[in-house]
């Protein structure tokens, strides 16, 4: 249940970064000096050219990341039913740092000359459309799967009646044990597409999410197989058919 803290921090921090970038793009304001210093520290040349739609792509991805955090925070507060499991203090601290770093990573994909008196040219490209559509599709399925897990511990009236584990069915659970983890990966892939596909930095973030979610999914899959003798044998751990 302390994952709620991660999303609360993300909503506040990434919302702040989103406002900063929005003000710079549309209101002619300058990015805060410490953000420009961060660009310089990470090797972003202040004279680097805007290749295509980097400004708009980064703004769109930061918006998607913030919306994702808002939805996950709402699900933690009003949808999910958590057991008495605990989180290691190291993992907790790392999680807080991750959600601060991931938004900063998006912002650092924008050239530091985001405002040099030039107007933002908002040009919606094919990869923006595909990325956003994939994001919406994966987000809807993730919410459905989280609702299925929560309903396993609730009565028909919505009252929590149990904190024990049960076998989920429905939606992507018919194919994999942890579809909500798979959907998380797809959400980050959709952001990589929205950034223009070629962004190596964000693909590194995607690879981190892949290994992190895959490990959690395999452990969960093994738990189901060990504790439920009739667990569907055709289900995979993380990715359908793999």
């Amino acid at each position: 249940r302390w994952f709620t803290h991660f999303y609360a921090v993300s909503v506040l921090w990434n919302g702040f970064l989103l406002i900063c970038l929005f003000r710079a793009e549309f209101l002619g304001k300058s990015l805060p000096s410490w953000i420009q210093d961060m660009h310089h520290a990470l090797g972003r040349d202040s004279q680097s050219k805007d290749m295509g739609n980097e400004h708009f792509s980064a703004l769109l991805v930061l918006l998607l990341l913030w919306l994702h955090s808002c939805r996950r925070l709402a699900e933690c507060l009003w949808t999910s039913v958590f057991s008495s499991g605990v989180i290691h203090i190291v993992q907790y601290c790392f999680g807080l740092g991750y959600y601060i770093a991931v938004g900063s990573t998006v912002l650092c994909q924008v050239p530091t000359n985001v405002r040099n008196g030039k107007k933002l040219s908002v040009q919606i490209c094919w990869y923006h459309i595909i990325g956003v559509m994939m994001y919406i599709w994966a987000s809807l399925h993730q919410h459905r799967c989280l609702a299925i897990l929560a309903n396993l511990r609730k009565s028909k009236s919505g009252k929590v009646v149990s904190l024990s584990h049960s076998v989920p069915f429905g939606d992507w659970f018919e194919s994999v044990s942890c579809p909500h983890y798979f959907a998380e990966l797809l959400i980050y892939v959709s952001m990589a597409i929205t950034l223009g596909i070629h962004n190596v930095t964000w693909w590194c973030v995607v690879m981190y999410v892949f290994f992190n979610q895959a490990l959690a999914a395999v452990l969960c899959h093994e738990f189901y197989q060990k504790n439920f003798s009739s667990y569907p044998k055709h289900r995979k751990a993380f990715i359908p058919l793999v």
Side-chain angles (χ1 to χ4, degrees):
R1 63 172 58 88
W2 277 25
F3 270 58
T4 305
H5 299 178
F6 300 162
Y7 301 119
V9 168
S10 182
V11 168
L12 294 174
W13 172 250
N14 293 318
F16 168 71
L17 295 182
L18 181 61
I19 291 173
C20 288
L21 187 55
F22 182 88
R23 282 164 51 87
E25 296 286 10
F26 293 104
L27 302 181
K29 305 294 183 180
S30 298
L31 288 172
S33 58
W34 61 268
I35 291 181
Q36 298 186 37
D37 292 340
M38 182 172 61
H39 274 76
H40 180 71
L42 294 175
R44 189 56 143 155
D45 186 0
S46 61
Q47 299 303 317
S48 59
K49 296 181 180 180
D50 182 8
M51 302 299 292
N53 292 313
E54 285 184 335
H55 292 169
F56 180 65
S57 296
L59 183 66
L60 185 56
V61 169
L62 199 54
L63 174 62
L64 296 180
L65 181 64
W66 182 75
L67 290 174
H68 176 63
S69 301
C70 289
R71 178 180 60 81
R72 291 294 294 118
L73 177 61
E75 288 167 343
C76 285
L77 292 174
W78 297 298
T79 301
S80 298
V81 179
F82 298 102
S83 64
S84 57
V86 297
I87 186 174
H88 195 281
I89 183 64
V90 174
Q91 186 182 5
Y92 177 74
C93 293
F94 181 84
L96 291 176
Y98 169 78
Y99 281 99
I100 292 175
V102 72
S104 304
T105 300
V106 177
L107 195 61
C108 286
Q109 305 313 300
V110 180
T112 51
N113 58 359
V114 61
R115 271 288 122 194
N116 279 340
K118 299 179 181 179
K119 289 185 177 181
L120 172 68
S121 177
V122 179
Q123 296 181 352
I124 299 178
C125 298
W126 62 269
Y127 51 81
H128 294 146
I129 297 174
I130 293 177
V132 171
M133 289 179 63
M134 183 177 178
Y135 171 88
I136 295 172
W137 175 64
S139 297
L140 287 173
H141 279 284
Q142 187 177 57
H143 176 73
R144 289 173 186 170
C145 292
L146 290 170
I148 289 172
L149 287 175
N151 289 334
L152 291 175
R153 295 176 172 178
K154 298 178 181 178
S155 64
K156 292 183 178 180
S157 63
K159 182 180 180 180
V160 177
V161 295
S162 174
L163 294 181
S164 61
H165 293 279
S166 303
V167 179
F169 292 93
D171 205 76
W172 287 355
F173 278 110
E174 300 303 321
S175 300
V176 293
S177 295
C178 300
H180 47 306
Y181 295 155
F182 178 54
E184 184 81 2
L185 174 63
L186 293 181
I187 287 170
Y188 277 84
V189 170
S190 73
M191 294 180 191
I193 295 173
T194 305
L195 277 173
I197 302 178
H198 62 275
N199 192 293
V200 177
T201 302
W202 193 258
W203 280 112
C204 290
V205 176
V206 172
M207 290 306 297
Y208 163 75
V209 172
F210 170 77
F211 286 113
N212 179 276
Q213 299 296 293
L215 175 60
V218 168
L219 294 175
C220 186
H221 183 67
E222 292 176 347
F223 172 85
Y224 280 130
Q225 291 179 322
K226 180 180 179 180
N227 290 275
F228 301 96
S229 58
S230 60
Y231 191 72
K233 297 184 182 299
H234 67 277
R235 287 191 191 178
K236 305 303 180 181
F238 182 42
I239 301 176
L241 305 177
V242 177

